[in-house]
PDB file of all heavy atoms in Angstrom:
ATOM      1  N   TRP A   1     -30.701  77.323-101.209  1.00  0.00           N
ATOM      2  CA  TRP A   1     -32.109  77.196-101.581  1.00  0.00           C
ATOM      3  C   TRP A   1     -32.490  78.078-102.762  1.00  0.00           C
ATOM      4  O   TRP A   1     -33.579  77.936-103.308  1.00  0.00           O
ATOM      5  CB  TRP A   1     -33.016  77.456-100.380  1.00  0.00           C
ATOM      6  CG  TRP A   1     -32.962  78.839 -99.795  1.00  0.00           C
ATOM      7  CD1 TRP A   1     -32.114  79.296 -98.839  1.00  0.00           C
ATOM      8  CD2 TRP A   1     -33.823  79.930-100.125  1.00  0.00           C
ATOM      9  NE1 TRP A   1     -32.382  80.608 -98.545  1.00  0.00           N
ATOM     10  CE2 TRP A   1     -33.426  81.021 -99.316  1.00  0.00           C
ATOM     11  CE3 TRP A   1     -34.876  80.107-101.006  1.00  0.00           C
ATOM     12  CZ2 TRP A   1     -34.052  82.264 -99.373  1.00  0.00           C
ATOM     13  CZ3 TRP A   1     -35.503  81.342-101.062  1.00  0.00           C
ATOM     14  CH2 TRP A   1     -35.090  82.399-100.254  1.00  0.00           C
ATOM     15  N   HIS A   2     -31.590  78.930-103.213  1.00  0.00           N
ATOM     16  CA  HIS A   2     -31.876  79.765-104.385  1.00  0.00           C
ATOM     17  C   HIS A   2     -31.688  78.995-105.688  1.00  0.00           C
ATOM     18  O   HIS A   2     -32.174  79.420-106.729  1.00  0.00           O
ATOM     19  CB  HIS A   2     -30.968  80.994-104.380  1.00  0.00           C
ATOM     20  CG  HIS A   2     -31.176  81.856-103.183  1.00  0.00           C
ATOM     21  ND1 HIS A   2     -30.441  81.684-102.022  1.00  0.00           N
ATOM     22  CD2 HIS A   2     -32.038  82.864-102.943  1.00  0.00           C
ATOM     23  CE1 HIS A   2     -30.836  82.570-101.138  1.00  0.00           C
ATOM     24  NE2 HIS A   2     -31.804  83.296-101.671  1.00  0.00           N
ATOM     25  N   LYS A   3     -30.959  77.888-105.639  1.00  0.00           N
ATOM     26  CA  LYS A   3     -30.731  77.086-106.843  1.00  0.00           C
ATOM     27  C   LYS A   3     -32.000  76.328-107.205  1.00  0.00           C
ATOM     28  O   LYS A   3     -32.680  75.787-106.334  1.00  0.00           O
ATOM     29  CB  LYS A   3     -29.574  76.107-106.625  1.00  0.00           C
ATOM     30  CG  LYS A   3     -28.241  76.807-106.514  1.00  0.00           C
ATOM     31  CD  LYS A   3     -27.104  75.843-106.394  1.00  0.00           C
ATOM     32  CE  LYS A   3     -25.798  76.635-106.309  1.00  0.00           C
ATOM     33  NZ  LYS A   3     -24.668  75.766-106.047  1.00  0.00           N
ATOM     34  N   ALA A   4     -32.275  76.288-108.506  1.00  0.00           N
ATOM     35  CA  ALA A   4     -33.463  75.583-108.984  1.00  0.00           C
ATOM     36  C   ALA A   4     -33.316  74.096-108.697  1.00  0.00           C
ATOM     37  O   ALA A   4     -32.437  73.428-109.236  1.00  0.00           O
ATOM     38  CB  ALA A   4     -33.659  75.832-110.475  1.00  0.00           C
ATOM     39  N   ASP A   5     -34.145  73.605-107.815  1.00  0.00           N
ATOM     40  CA  ASP A   5     -34.112  72.200-107.426  1.00  0.00           C
ATOM     41  C   ASP A   5     -35.473  71.890-106.809  1.00  0.00           C
ATOM     42  O   ASP A   5     -35.907  72.601-105.895  1.00  0.00           O
ATOM     43  CB  ASP A   5     -32.993  71.985-106.401  1.00  0.00           C
ATOM     44  CG  ASP A   5     -32.822  70.530-105.993  1.00  0.00           C
ATOM     45  OD1 ASP A   5     -33.837  69.829-105.843  1.00  0.00           O
ATOM     46  OD2 ASP A   5     -31.677  70.114-105.795  1.00  0.00           O
ATOM     47  N   PRO A   6     -36.149  70.865-107.288  1.00  0.00           N
ATOM     48  CA  PRO A   6     -37.470  70.553-106.735  1.00  0.00           C
ATOM     49  C   PRO A   6     -37.479  70.335-105.221  1.00  0.00           C
ATOM     50  O   PRO A   6     -38.468  70.612-104.561  1.00  0.00           O
ATOM     51  CB  PRO A   6     -37.876  69.261-107.453  1.00  0.00           C
ATOM     52  CG  PRO A   6     -37.031  69.205-108.680  1.00  0.00           C
ATOM     53  CD  PRO A   6     -35.767  69.957-108.367  1.00  0.00           C
ATOM     54  N   SER A   7     -36.362  69.874-104.665  1.00  0.00           N
ATOM     55  CA  SER A   7     -36.319  69.640-103.217  1.00  0.00           C
ATOM     56  C   SER A   7     -36.291  70.945-102.417  1.00  0.00           C
ATOM     57  O   SER A   7     -36.484  70.935-101.207  1.00  0.00           O
ATOM     58  CB  SER A   7     -35.112  68.778-102.846  1.00  0.00           C
ATOM     59  OG  SER A   7     -33.910  69.496-103.023  1.00  0.00           O
ATOM     60  N   HIS A   8     -36.067  72.072-103.081  1.00  0.00           N
ATOM     61  CA  HIS A   8     -36.019  73.360-102.400  1.00  0.00           C
ATOM     62  C   HIS A   8     -37.369  74.072-102.415  1.00  0.00           C
ATOM     63  O   HIS A   8     -37.490  75.165-101.873  1.00  0.00           O
ATOM     64  CB  HIS A   8     -34.971  74.273-103.042  1.00  0.00           C
ATOM     65  CG  HIS A   8     -33.598  73.705-103.007  1.00  0.00           C
ATOM     66  ND1 HIS A   8     -32.563  74.267-103.695  1.00  0.00           N
ATOM     67  CD2 HIS A   8     -33.066  72.624-102.377  1.00  0.00           C
ATOM     68  CE1 HIS A   8     -31.463  73.571-103.499  1.00  0.00           C
ATOM     69  NE2 HIS A   8     -31.750  72.566-102.700  1.00  0.00           N
ATOM     70  N   ARG A   9     -38.353  73.448-103.041  1.00  0.00           N
ATOM     71  CA  ARG A   9     -39.693  74.043-103.050  1.00  0.00           C
ATOM     72  C   ARG A   9     -40.201  74.156-101.622  1.00  0.00           C
ATOM     73  O   ARG A   9     -39.966  73.292-100.799  1.00  0.00           O
ATOM     74  CB  ARG A   9     -40.657  73.188-103.865  1.00  0.00           C
ATOM     75  CG  ARG A   9     -40.402  73.268-105.366  1.00  0.00           C
ATOM     76  CD  ARG A   9     -41.369  72.392-106.105  1.00  0.00           C
ATOM     77  NE  ARG A   9     -42.688  72.419-105.492  1.00  0.00           N
ATOM     78  CZ  ARG A   9     -43.794  72.790-106.094  1.00  0.00           C
ATOM     79  NH1 ARG A   9     -43.757  73.126-107.333  1.00  0.00           N
ATOM     80  NH2 ARG A   9     -44.943  72.785-105.449  1.00  0.00           N
ATOM     81  N   LEU A  10     -40.857  75.235-101.360  1.00  0.00           N
ATOM     82  CA  LEU A  10     -41.421  75.496-100.035  1.00  0.00           C
ATOM     83  C   LEU A  10     -40.345  75.461 -98.939  1.00  0.00           C
ATOM     84  O   LEU A  10     -40.581  75.008 -97.816  1.00  0.00           O
ATOM     85  CB  LEU A  10     -42.562  74.514 -99.725  1.00  0.00           C
ATOM     86  CG  LEU A  10     -43.722  74.535-100.736  1.00  0.00           C
ATOM     87  CD1 LEU A  10     -44.715  73.433-100.418  1.00  0.00           C
ATOM     88  CD2 LEU A  10     -44.398  75.897-100.753  1.00  0.00           C
ATOM     89  N   HIS A  11     -39.188  75.982 -99.287  1.00  0.00           N
ATOM     90  CA  HIS A  11     -38.046  76.015 -98.380  1.00  0.00           C
ATOM     91  C   HIS A  11     -38.420  76.585 -97.003  1.00  0.00           C
ATOM     92  O   HIS A  11     -38.030  76.031 -95.971  1.00  0.00           O
ATOM     93  CB  HIS A  11     -36.916  76.842 -99.013  1.00  0.00           C
ATOM     94  CG  HIS A  11     -35.832  77.203 -98.063  1.00  0.00           C
ATOM     95  ND1 HIS A  11     -34.839  76.322 -97.691  1.00  0.00           N
ATOM     96  CD2 HIS A  11     -35.585  78.354 -97.385  1.00  0.00           C
ATOM     97  CE1 HIS A  11     -34.029  76.910 -96.839  1.00  0.00           C
ATOM     98  NE2 HIS A  11     -34.453  78.133 -96.631  1.00  0.00           N
ATOM     99  N   GLY A  12     -39.172  77.665 -96.981  1.00  0.00           N
ATOM    100  CA  GLY A  12     -39.531  78.306 -95.716  1.00  0.00           C
ATOM    101  C   GLY A  12     -40.259  77.380 -94.758  1.00  0.00           C
ATOM    102  O   GLY A  12     -40.103  77.481 -93.542  1.00  0.00           O
ATOM    103  N   PHE A  13     -41.036  76.468 -95.314  1.00  0.00           N
ATOM    104  CA  PHE A  13     -41.804  75.544 -94.479  1.00  0.00           C
ATOM    105  C   PHE A  13     -40.985  74.335 -94.031  1.00  0.00           C
ATOM    106  O   PHE A  13     -41.191  73.820 -92.941  1.00  0.00           O
ATOM    107  CB  PHE A  13     -43.035  75.032 -95.236  1.00  0.00           C
ATOM    108  CG  PHE A  13     -44.040  76.106 -95.522  1.00  0.00           C
ATOM    109  CD1 PHE A  13     -44.049  76.744 -96.754  1.00  0.00           C
ATOM    110  CD2 PHE A  13     -44.966  76.478 -94.563  1.00  0.00           C
ATOM    111  CE1 PHE A  13     -44.974  77.736 -97.022  1.00  0.00           C
ATOM    112  CE2 PHE A  13     -45.895  77.471 -94.828  1.00  0.00           C
ATOM    113  CZ  PHE A  13     -45.902  78.109 -96.061  1.00  0.00           C
ATOM    114  N   TYR A  14     -40.087  73.867 -94.895  1.00  0.00           N
ATOM    115  CA  TYR A  14     -39.418  72.595 -94.644  1.00  0.00           C
ATOM    116  C   TYR A  14     -38.001  72.687 -94.096  1.00  0.00           C
ATOM    117  O   TYR A  14     -37.492  71.717 -93.545  1.00  0.00           O
ATOM    118  CB  TYR A  14     -39.420  71.742 -95.921  1.00  0.00           C
ATOM    119  CG  TYR A  14     -40.811  71.342 -96.322  1.00  0.00           C
ATOM    120  CD1 TYR A  14     -41.354  71.762 -97.530  1.00  0.00           C
ATOM    121  CD2 TYR A  14     -41.594  70.552 -95.487  1.00  0.00           C
ATOM    122  CE1 TYR A  14     -42.642  71.407 -97.892  1.00  0.00           C
ATOM    123  CE2 TYR A  14     -42.882  70.196 -95.843  1.00  0.00           C
ATOM    124  CZ  TYR A  14     -43.402  70.621 -97.045  1.00  0.00           C
ATOM    125  OH  TYR A  14     -44.681  70.273 -97.383  1.00  0.00           O
ATOM    126  N   HIS A  15     -37.339  73.838 -94.242  1.00  0.00           N
ATOM    127  CA  HIS A  15     -35.935  73.872 -93.834  1.00  0.00           C
ATOM    128  C   HIS A  15     -35.697  73.687 -92.332  1.00  0.00           C
ATOM    129  O   HIS A  15     -34.647  73.160 -91.960  1.00  0.00           O
ATOM    130  CB  HIS A  15     -35.219  75.123 -94.379  1.00  0.00           C
ATOM    131  CG  HIS A  15     -35.425  76.353 -93.579  1.00  0.00           C
ATOM    132  ND1 HIS A  15     -36.447  77.240 -93.835  1.00  0.00           N
ATOM    133  CD2 HIS A  15     -34.726  76.865 -92.538  1.00  0.00           C
ATOM    134  CE1 HIS A  15     -36.362  78.244 -92.980  1.00  0.00           C
ATOM    135  NE2 HIS A  15     -35.337  78.039 -92.183  1.00  0.00           N
ATOM    136  N   PRO A  16     -36.630  74.044 -91.437  1.00  0.00           N
ATOM    137  CA  PRO A  16     -36.348  73.755 -90.027  1.00  0.00           C
ATOM    138  C   PRO A  16     -36.170  72.253 -89.751  1.00  0.00           C
ATOM    139  O   PRO A  16     -35.284  71.870 -88.979  1.00  0.00           O
ATOM    140  CB  PRO A  16     -37.568  74.315 -89.285  1.00  0.00           C
ATOM    141  CG  PRO A  16     -38.087  75.390 -90.186  1.00  0.00           C
ATOM    142  CD  PRO A  16     -37.861  74.852 -91.572  1.00  0.00           C
ATOM    143  N   GLY A  17     -36.968  71.426 -90.391  1.00  0.00           N
ATOM    144  CA  GLY A  17     -36.824  69.979 -90.223  1.00  0.00           C
ATOM    145  C   GLY A  17     -35.515  69.468 -90.792  1.00  0.00           C
ATOM    146  O   GLY A  17     -34.849  68.615 -90.192  1.00  0.00           O
ATOM    147  N   THR A  18     -35.134  69.995 -91.946  1.00  0.00           N
ATOM    148  CA  THR A  18     -33.863  69.614 -92.559  1.00  0.00           C
ATOM    149  C   THR A  18     -32.696  70.057 -91.684  1.00  0.00           C
ATOM    150  O   THR A  18     -31.749  69.298 -91.467  1.00  0.00           O
ATOM    151  CB  THR A  18     -33.739  70.229 -93.971  1.00  0.00           C
ATOM    152  OG1 THR A  18     -34.859  69.822 -94.756  1.00  0.00           O
ATOM    153  CG2 THR A  18     -32.445  69.823 -94.650  1.00  0.00           C
ATOM    154  N   ALA A  19     -32.776  71.283 -91.177  1.00  0.00           N
ATOM    155  CA  ALA A  19     -31.715  71.792 -90.299  1.00  0.00           C
ATOM    156  C   ALA A  19     -31.586  70.929 -89.049  1.00  0.00           C
ATOM    157  O   ALA A  19     -30.472  70.608 -88.617  1.00  0.00           O
ATOM    158  CB  ALA A  19     -32.001  73.244 -89.921  1.00  0.00           C
ATOM    159  N   LEU A  20     -32.715  70.532 -88.485  1.00  0.00           N
ATOM    160  CA  LEU A  20     -32.687  69.698 -87.285  1.00  0.00           C
ATOM    161  C   LEU A  20     -32.085  68.323 -87.582  1.00  0.00           C
ATOM    162  O   LEU A  20     -31.245  67.824 -86.817  1.00  0.00           O
ATOM    163  CB  LEU A  20     -34.092  69.556 -86.691  1.00  0.00           C
ATOM    164  CG  LEU A  20     -34.198  68.735 -85.409  1.00  0.00           C
ATOM    165  CD1 LEU A  20     -33.297  69.290 -84.311  1.00  0.00           C
ATOM    166  CD2 LEU A  20     -35.655  68.688 -84.952  1.00  0.00           C
ATOM    167  N   ARG A  21     -32.468  67.720 -88.702  1.00  0.00           N
ATOM    168  CA  ARG A  21     -31.895  66.413 -89.070  1.00  0.00           C
ATOM    169  C   ARG A  21     -30.380  66.505 -89.239  1.00  0.00           C
ATOM    170  O   ARG A  21     -29.629  65.665 -88.730  1.00  0.00           O
ATOM    171  CB  ARG A  21     -32.531  65.882 -90.363  1.00  0.00           C
ATOM    172  CG  ARG A  21     -33.839  65.158 -90.158  1.00  0.00           C
ATOM    173  CD  ARG A  21     -34.303  64.447 -91.403  1.00  0.00           C
ATOM    174  NE  ARG A  21     -34.457  65.306 -92.571  1.00  0.00           N
ATOM    175  CZ  ARG A  21     -35.512  66.103 -92.792  1.00  0.00           C
ATOM    176  NH1 ARG A  21     -36.507  66.135 -91.928  1.00  0.00           N
ATOM    177  NH2 ARG A  21     -35.571  66.845 -93.872  1.00  0.00           N
ATOM    178  N   ASN A  22     -29.920  67.525 -89.959  1.00  0.00           N
ATOM    179  CA  ASN A  22     -28.476  67.705 -90.162  1.00  0.00           C
ATOM    180  C   ASN A  22     -27.747  67.944 -88.840  1.00  0.00           C
ATOM    181  O   ASN A  22     -26.668  67.389 -88.606  1.00  0.00           O
ATOM    182  CB  ASN A  22     -28.208  68.874 -91.111  1.00  0.00           C
ATOM    183  CG  ASN A  22     -28.591  68.570 -92.532  1.00  0.00           C
ATOM    184  OD1 ASN A  22     -28.711  67.414 -92.924  1.00  0.00           O
ATOM    185  ND2 ASN A  22     -28.807  69.613 -93.321  1.00  0.00           N
ATOM    186  N   ALA A  23     -28.331  68.781 -87.981  1.00  0.00           N
ATOM    187  CA  ALA A  23     -27.699  69.092 -86.698  1.00  0.00           C
ATOM    188  C   ALA A  23     -27.623  67.843 -85.821  1.00  0.00           C
ATOM    189  O   ALA A  23     -26.614  67.611 -85.148  1.00  0.00           O
ATOM    190  CB  ALA A  23     -28.455  70.210 -85.989  1.00  0.00           C
ATOM    191  N   ARG A  24     -28.667  67.026 -85.844  1.00  0.00           N
ATOM    192  CA  ARG A  24     -28.656  65.778 -85.063  1.00  0.00           C
ATOM    193  C   ARG A  24     -27.577  64.824 -85.565  1.00  0.00           C
ATOM    194  O   ARG A  24     -26.994  64.078 -84.780  1.00  0.00           O
ATOM    195  CB  ARG A  24     -30.014  65.085 -85.142  1.00  0.00           C
ATOM    196  CG  ARG A  24     -31.062  65.674 -84.238  1.00  0.00           C
ATOM    197  CD  ARG A  24     -32.374  64.958 -84.440  1.00  0.00           C
ATOM    198  NE  ARG A  24     -33.395  65.397 -83.504  1.00  0.00           N
ATOM    199  CZ  ARG A  24     -34.686  65.277 -83.729  1.00  0.00           C
ATOM    200  NH1 ARG A  24     -35.142  64.724 -84.852  1.00  0.00           N
ATOM    201  NH2 ARG A  24     -35.555  65.697 -82.833  1.00  0.00           N
ATOM    202  N   GLN A  25     -27.329  64.827 -86.876  1.00  0.00           N
ATOM    203  CA  GLN A  25     -26.284  63.959 -87.430  1.00  0.00           C
ATOM    204  C   GLN A  25     -24.894  64.369 -86.946  1.00  0.00           C
ATOM    205  O   GLN A  25     -24.030  63.526 -86.735  1.00  0.00           O
ATOM    206  CB  GLN A  25     -26.300  64.009 -88.967  1.00  0.00           C
ATOM    207  CG  GLN A  25     -27.436  63.276 -89.603  1.00  0.00           C
ATOM    208  CD  GLN A  25     -27.449  63.480 -91.119  1.00  0.00           C
ATOM    209  OE1 GLN A  25     -26.600  64.151 -91.692  1.00  0.00           O
ATOM    210  NE2 GLN A  25     -28.437  62.884 -91.772  1.00  0.00           N
ATOM    211  N   ASP A  26     -24.687  65.681 -86.810  1.00  0.00           N
ATOM    212  CA  ASP A  26     -23.347  66.192 -86.517  1.00  0.00           C
ATOM    213  C   ASP A  26     -23.071  66.480 -85.043  1.00  0.00           C
ATOM    214  O   ASP A  26     -21.906  66.537 -84.642  1.00  0.00           O
ATOM    215  CB  ASP A  26     -23.096  67.479 -87.311  1.00  0.00           C
ATOM    216  CG  ASP A  26     -22.977  67.233 -88.804  1.00  0.00           C
ATOM    217  OD1 ASP A  26     -23.025  66.060 -89.232  1.00  0.00           O
ATOM    218  OD2 ASP A  26     -22.838  68.216 -89.551  1.00  0.00           O
ATOM    219  N   PHE A  27     -24.117  66.695 -84.248  1.00  0.00           N
ATOM    220  CA  PHE A  27     -23.925  67.152 -82.871  1.00  0.00           C
ATOM    221  C   PHE A  27     -24.884  66.445 -81.915  1.00  0.00           C
ATOM    222  O   PHE A  27     -25.969  66.037 -82.309  1.00  0.00           O
ATOM    223  CB  PHE A  27     -24.174  68.669 -82.765  1.00  0.00           C
ATOM    224  CG  PHE A  27     -23.425  69.481 -83.771  1.00  0.00           C
ATOM    225  CD1 PHE A  27     -24.074  69.997 -84.881  1.00  0.00           C
ATOM    226  CD2 PHE A  27     -22.065  69.722 -83.628  1.00  0.00           C
ATOM    227  CE1 PHE A  27     -23.390  70.743 -85.824  1.00  0.00           C
ATOM    228  CE2 PHE A  27     -21.373  70.466 -84.563  1.00  0.00           C
ATOM    229  CZ  PHE A  27     -22.036  70.979 -85.670  1.00  0.00           C
ATOM    230  N   ALA A  28     -24.478  66.390 -80.661  1.00  0.00           N
ATOM    231  CA  ALA A  28     -25.386  65.949 -79.597  1.00  0.00           C
ATOM    232  C   ALA A  28     -26.154  67.191 -79.157  1.00  0.00           C
ATOM    233  O   ALA A  28     -25.554  68.152 -78.661  1.00  0.00           O
ATOM    234  CB  ALA A  28     -24.592  65.377 -78.432  1.00  0.00           C
ATOM    235  N   LEU A  29     -27.451  67.197 -79.392  1.00  0.00           N
ATOM    236  CA  LEU A  29     -28.281  68.364 -79.092  1.00  0.00           C
ATOM    237  C   LEU A  29     -29.107  68.142 -77.836  1.00  0.00           C
ATOM    238  O   LEU A  29     -29.555  67.028 -77.562  1.00  0.00           O
ATOM    239  CB  LEU A  29     -29.243  68.641 -80.255  1.00  0.00           C
ATOM    240  CG  LEU A  29     -28.632  68.907 -81.621  1.00  0.00           C
ATOM    241  CD1 LEU A  29     -29.732  69.013 -82.673  1.00  0.00           C
ATOM    242  CD2 LEU A  29     -27.782  70.172 -81.614  1.00  0.00           C
ATOM    243  N   THR A  30     -29.346  69.222 -77.124  1.00  0.00           N
ATOM    244  CA  THR A  30     -30.267  69.166 -75.987  1.00  0.00           C
ATOM    245  C   THR A  30     -31.688  69.373 -76.526  1.00  0.00           C
ATOM    246  O   THR A  30     -31.863  69.907 -77.637  1.00  0.00           O
ATOM    247  CB  THR A  30     -29.956  70.277 -74.965  1.00  0.00           C
ATOM    248  OG1 THR A  30     -30.236  71.547 -75.557  1.00  0.00           O
ATOM    249  CG2 THR A  30     -28.500  70.209 -74.490  1.00  0.00           C
ATOM    250  N   PRO A  31     -32.696  68.990 -75.766  1.00  0.00           N
ATOM    251  CA  PRO A  31     -34.076  69.255 -76.200  1.00  0.00           C
ATOM    252  C   PRO A  31     -34.336  70.745 -76.447  1.00  0.00           C
ATOM    253  O   PRO A  31     -35.058  71.114 -77.377  1.00  0.00           O
ATOM    254  CB  PRO A  31     -34.931  68.726 -75.036  1.00  0.00           C
ATOM    255  CG  PRO A  31     -34.088  67.668 -74.408  1.00  0.00           C
ATOM    256  CD  PRO A  31     -32.668  68.170 -74.540  1.00  0.00           C
ATOM    257  N   ARG A  32     -33.717  71.595 -75.663  1.00  0.00           N
ATOM    258  CA  ARG A  32     -33.876  73.054 -75.823  1.00  0.00           C
ATOM    259  C   ARG A  32     -33.293  73.500 -77.176  1.00  0.00           C
ATOM    260  O   ARG A  32     -33.907  74.292 -77.892  1.00  0.00           O
ATOM    261  CB  ARG A  32     -33.179  73.752 -74.666  1.00  0.00           C
ATOM    262  CG  ARG A  32     -33.589  75.170 -74.425  1.00  0.00           C
ATOM    263  CD  ARG A  32     -32.991  75.685 -73.117  1.00  0.00           C
ATOM    264  NE  ARG A  32     -33.487  74.952 -71.978  1.00  0.00           N
ATOM    265  CZ  ARG A  32     -34.527  75.315 -71.233  1.00  0.00           C
ATOM    266  NH1 ARG A  32     -35.161  76.431 -71.495  1.00  0.00           N
ATOM    267  NH2 ARG A  32     -34.912  74.580 -70.210  1.00  0.00           N
ATOM    268  N   GLU A  33     -32.122  72.992 -77.522  1.00  0.00           N
ATOM    269  CA  GLU A  33     -31.502  73.329 -78.814  1.00  0.00           C
ATOM    270  C   GLU A  33     -32.353  72.812 -79.964  1.00  0.00           C
ATOM    271  O   GLU A  33     -32.544  73.514 -80.968  1.00  0.00           O
ATOM    272  CB  GLU A  33     -30.085  72.750 -78.885  1.00  0.00           C
ATOM    273  CG  GLU A  33     -29.123  73.412 -77.916  1.00  0.00           C
ATOM    274  CD  GLU A  33     -27.848  72.630 -77.660  1.00  0.00           C
ATOM    275  OE1 GLU A  33     -27.734  71.463 -78.102  1.00  0.00           O
ATOM    276  OE2 GLU A  33     -26.955  73.195 -77.004  1.00  0.00           O
ATOM    277  N   GLU A  34     -32.890  71.611 -79.825  1.00  0.00           N
ATOM    278  CA  GLU A  34     -33.762  71.055 -80.862  1.00  0.00           C
ATOM    279  C   GLU A  34     -35.000  71.919 -81.055  1.00  0.00           C
ATOM    280  O   GLU A  34     -35.436  72.152 -82.185  1.00  0.00           O
ATOM    281  CB  GLU A  34     -34.156  69.621 -80.511  1.00  0.00           C
ATOM    282  CG  GLU A  34     -33.004  68.650 -80.638  1.00  0.00           C
ATOM    283  CD  GLU A  34     -33.422  67.200 -80.443  1.00  0.00           C
ATOM    284  OE1 GLU A  34     -34.613  66.932 -80.165  1.00  0.00           O
ATOM    285  OE2 GLU A  34     -32.537  66.324 -80.577  1.00  0.00           O
ATOM    286  N   ASN A  35     -35.570  72.400 -79.963  1.00  0.00           N
ATOM    287  CA  ASN A  35     -36.756  73.242 -80.054  1.00  0.00           C
ATOM    288  C   ASN A  35     -36.448  74.552 -80.773  1.00  0.00           C
ATOM    289  O   ASN A  35     -37.241  75.025 -81.588  1.00  0.00           O
ATOM    290  CB  ASN A  35     -37.327  73.504 -78.653  1.00  0.00           C
ATOM    291  CG  ASN A  35     -38.665  74.204 -78.700  1.00  0.00           C
ATOM    292  OD1 ASN A  35     -38.738  75.414 -78.545  1.00  0.00           O
ATOM    293  ND2 ASN A  35     -39.715  73.430 -78.946  1.00  0.00           N
ATOM    294  N   ILE A  36     -35.296  75.126 -80.492  1.00  0.00           N
ATOM    295  CA  ILE A  36     -34.883  76.365 -81.165  1.00  0.00           C
ATOM    296  C   ILE A  36     -34.816  76.139 -82.674  1.00  0.00           C
ATOM    297  O   ILE A  36     -35.371  76.921 -83.454  1.00  0.00           O
ATOM    298  CB  ILE A  36     -33.519  76.852 -80.635  1.00  0.00           C
ATOM    299  CG1 ILE A  36     -33.631  77.314 -79.186  1.00  0.00           C
ATOM    300  CG2 ILE A  36     -32.966  77.973 -81.521  1.00  0.00           C
ATOM    301  CD1 ILE A  36     -32.284  77.521 -78.491  1.00  0.00           C
ATOM    302  N   ILE A  37     -34.128  75.100 -83.080  1.00  0.00           N
ATOM    303  CA  ILE A  37     -33.925  74.818 -84.506  1.00  0.00           C
ATOM    304  C   ILE A  37     -35.248  74.485 -85.185  1.00  0.00           C
ATOM    305  O   ILE A  37     -35.569  75.044 -86.245  1.00  0.00           O
ATOM    306  CB  ILE A  37     -32.920  73.650 -84.689  1.00  0.00           C
ATOM    307  CG1 ILE A  37     -31.545  74.031 -84.129  1.00  0.00           C
ATOM    308  CG2 ILE A  37     -32.821  73.253 -86.163  1.00  0.00           C
ATOM    309  CD1 ILE A  37     -30.605  72.848 -83.933  1.00  0.00           C
ATOM    310  N   HIS A  38     -36.035  73.630 -84.597  1.00  0.00           N
ATOM    311  CA  HIS A  38     -37.240  73.127 -85.250  1.00  0.00           C
ATOM    312  C   HIS A  38     -38.376  74.145 -85.327  1.00  0.00           C
ATOM    313  O   HIS A  38     -39.205  74.091 -86.238  1.00  0.00           O
ATOM    314  CB  HIS A  38     -37.720  71.854 -84.548  1.00  0.00           C
ATOM    315  CG  HIS A  38     -38.651  71.050 -85.375  1.00  0.00           C
ATOM    316  ND1 HIS A  38     -39.881  70.683 -84.946  1.00  0.00           N
ATOM    317  CD2 HIS A  38     -38.515  70.551 -86.636  1.00  0.00           C
ATOM    318  CE1 HIS A  38     -40.486  69.985 -85.901  1.00  0.00           C
ATOM    319  NE2 HIS A  38     -39.673  69.893 -86.929  1.00  0.00           N
TER     320      HIS A  38
END
């Protein structure tokens, strides 16, 4: 997120959603794990 890229704007606000989407793609998550990430 340190690299200049318009998609990284407001990283602090948006990265939990991105992290959750990526984690869902790669792993079977429990609702508790999803809540932690999001």
Side-chain angles (χ1 to χ4, degrees):
W1 64 272
H2 299 91
K3 291 184 179 174
D5 183 321
S7 70
H8 300 170
R9 288 179 37 121
L10 302 174
H11 167 79
F13 294 97
Y14 295 117
H15 82 269
T18 304
L20 182 57
R21 276 190 303 281
N22 289 340
R24 281 177 175 157
Q25 286 175 1
D26 291 357
F27 309 103
L29 301 174
T30 67
R32 198 171 297 266
E33 292 163 351
E34 289 186 358
N35 188 262
I36 292 167
I37 297 165
H38 198 235

